[in-house]
Each structure stands twice: as C-alpha cells, then as structure tokens.
Amino acid sequence: MSVSALLGGIIIAVATSLNLLVTGKVTGWSGILGGILTLERRTLRSNICLAAGLLLASLFDLQYRDGKSFEDPRRFSEGLSLTGFALAGFCVGLGTRLGNGCTSGHGVCGLPRLSVRSLVAVLTFMLFGVLTATLKSHSHFLSDSAPHDVVRISWLSSNQFTFFLLFCFAICVLSNVKMALDSVISLLTGFVFGLGLQLSGMTNRHTVLAFLTLDAKTWNSSLMFVMAGAVIFNFFSFSSILARPAPVIKSNAFGCKNTPKTVTASLVVGSGLFGIGWGLSGICPGPALANLVLGHPAMLLAFFPTLIAGNLLGYLWQQSFGPTKSKSM
C-alpha cells in the first residue's frame, strides 16, 4: 500500500510538472473546475482538456480493470447519508473557491514552491479534516441509518462517454489550432494525473477517511506517502522549471510567480470549510471529478451538484466582496 501510494504521488507530480513546464499552469482541480463553471475564456480550452483527460483515465480503469481503483456504489455510499454527501459537497465547493485551492493546488503544487499561503491552507484543511473525520467516526453524525442496496446510474456507456470526451477535445483543438499543443498537454496531464490518483488510493474515499480519522486500530498512513512523493518530486522539478524565463510554448513568465502572498481571512475560512467537507466525505475536487463516470448515485445526485453550487456561490461572493484579481489554484 505504501509503495503504490508513493508511486501514485510521484505520478501525480510528473503530471503537474509537465503542465507547468510546457504551459506554465498550476494543476489545481478546484481552479480547473471553477474555470469551467464560470466559462473563464482565458483558460476554458485547457481546463476542458484537463478534465477530459482525468475522466478518460477513469474510463480506462473501468474498461480494462473493471473499476478496481474505485469503490462499488454500495461501498461508496456506506457511512454517509445523502444529506451528508450534499453538505460535504457544498463545503468542498465553497471552501476551495474561497480558499483558492485544494489538496492539488495548495498541497501538490503550492508546498513545493514554498508558498506561505499554501502552507497555511494545508495546515488549516488538514486540521479541520482530521477533526471532522475523527468526530464523525465517534458520533456517527450524518450517517446513513438505513443502508440499502445501491445501484450504479448508467447515464452513458463507457464508449459513449469516451467518444464525447474526445469530441470535446477535438473541438478545443480546432477552435485554436495554434494552441493545439497546449490542448494535447492538458489532456495528457489530466490522464496521467488520473492514473496517479487511482494508484495512490485517493479515488477511494474510505481510504482517505481512514487517513483523516485518528484511530490507533484503523488509521491508514498511506496518504502521507502520496503527499510526500508529490511534494518532494515537485520541490526539485518546480525549482528547475521556474528557473526558466518562460514555459516551453509561451513567451510570458510563469503565472504562479505572481500569485498573492498575503494570508487572508478568506484563505483560512475557505480552507477550514474545505477541511470539514473533506473530513465528512473523504472527497476533494480531483477525485470527485474522477468518480463521476462510475455513476454513484450519492456522487451524481448529492455531492457533485452541491459542490458546483458551493463553487459558484463562492465565485459570486468573490466578485461582490473579494479581491477581483484573486485566482483559484
């Protein structure tokens, strides 16, 4: 378990390093999802390709490994009611938008750059995640009191979904042929990142909860190796990449060099909210997107819709009251 977790973390780091080197972009899934939801023109094409790549990795596992990297619908919904999934999704969506990042943006990509904001965010969402998961394990708050058989929602076949994603990718490429390499790298980044999530165990929400729950008998340390492998690899790769004057396919400097450095109340509150949602569900934005193709009712009907609602509410709050130039990671 520890070896696969470490390798999964390194694969995730390779994907994020590739994206930074070639396109100059930080691979933060809350920002990617938020950019798609708000139709952010500057990054929409690459964000769609990133999401398509991640979903294709899930379809690959479903098609050729019978979905072994994911939980079946009954196991996935076990231990949390639909209300709990909905509340967790809302907290994750709103929290990551207000906090400008999640485990990928702040953890995998922020810590290697020695970002103080990311360090504060990671410590905050880890603290609230551990507290929430541990308290819930003892109180059974929002647990499903009447477990029942859960069936997978077959909204599209694997082949139909694959065709749809490749069609979206083709549209992105054809919409701007000059930026075709950007679209290809984004698709590849999302696919490799998805494989890393699967190998590391982060697509399995109960593995994440076992890490966040402080219990001497059931604690699972494997996710420490995921973060360690990703952060250590990226510390060296990012240092080398950011020493370059510009990304491979762009002439302008790396955007992450100009991100805000001030620790704000929004960052702390948002990271805390994200930690609560993560501690309740064991799901953060990247794995949530990866799990979409599995057809879990709790994901499709509760967690993901409220994640979208929370993200959009956070966007409206930022537009009305927050710094207009803040960017999600």
Side-chain angles (χ1 to χ4, degrees), residues 8 113 133 143 158 186 206 213 261 268 303 309 314 320 328:
R113 294 185 284 115
S143 295
S158 295
S186 295
H206 285 92
T213 304
K261 295 179 172 57
V268 176
F303 187 92
S320 301
S328 287

Side-chain angles (χ1 to χ4, degrees), residues 14-36:
V14 169
T16 56
S17 292
L18 173 67
N19 198 29
L20 184 65
L21 172 65
V22 180
T23 72
K25 298 170 186 171
V26 169
T27 312
W29 286 102
S30 62
I32 292 166
L33 179 60
I36 293 173

Side-chain angles (χ1 to χ4, degrees), residues 42 100 117 258-260 318-319 322-328:
R42 184 175 59 87
N100 291 338
R117 281 173 54 86
N258 302 318
T259 54
Q318 288 179 329
Q319 293 300 302
T324 58
K325 294 184 179 180
S326 66
K327 301 293 182 184
S328 287

Side-chain angles (χ1 to χ4, degrees), residues 15 36 56 87 116 164 191 212 216 218 222 247 263 266 300 318 323:
I36 293 173
L56 284 171
L87 178 61
V116 175
F164 172 73
F191 185 82
L212 293 175
T218 61
S222 62
V263 175
S266 177
L300 294 177
Q318 288 179 329

Side-chain angles (χ1 to χ4, degrees), residues 75-145:
R75 175 59 176 161
F76 182 86
S77 63
E78 195 174 273
L80 191 63
S81 65
L82 284 178
T83 302
F85 275 106
L87 178 61
F90 183 79
C91 288
V92 169
L94 178 60
T96 53
R97 171 64 80 167
L98 294 180
N100 291 338
C102 56
T103 52
S104 55
H106 280 311
V108 174
C109 297
L111 294 181
R113 294 185 284 115
L114 304 181
S115 166
V116 175
R117 281 173 54 86
S118 289
L119 177 61
V120 171
V122 170
L123 291 176
T124 303
F125 68 63
M126 284 299 304
L127 173 63
F128 279 86
V130 167
L131 287 175
T132 303
T134 302
L135 288 173
K136 185 183 179 303
S137 70
H138 292 291
S139 66
H140 301 294
F141 177 63
L142 293 175
S143 295
D144 193 347
S145 58

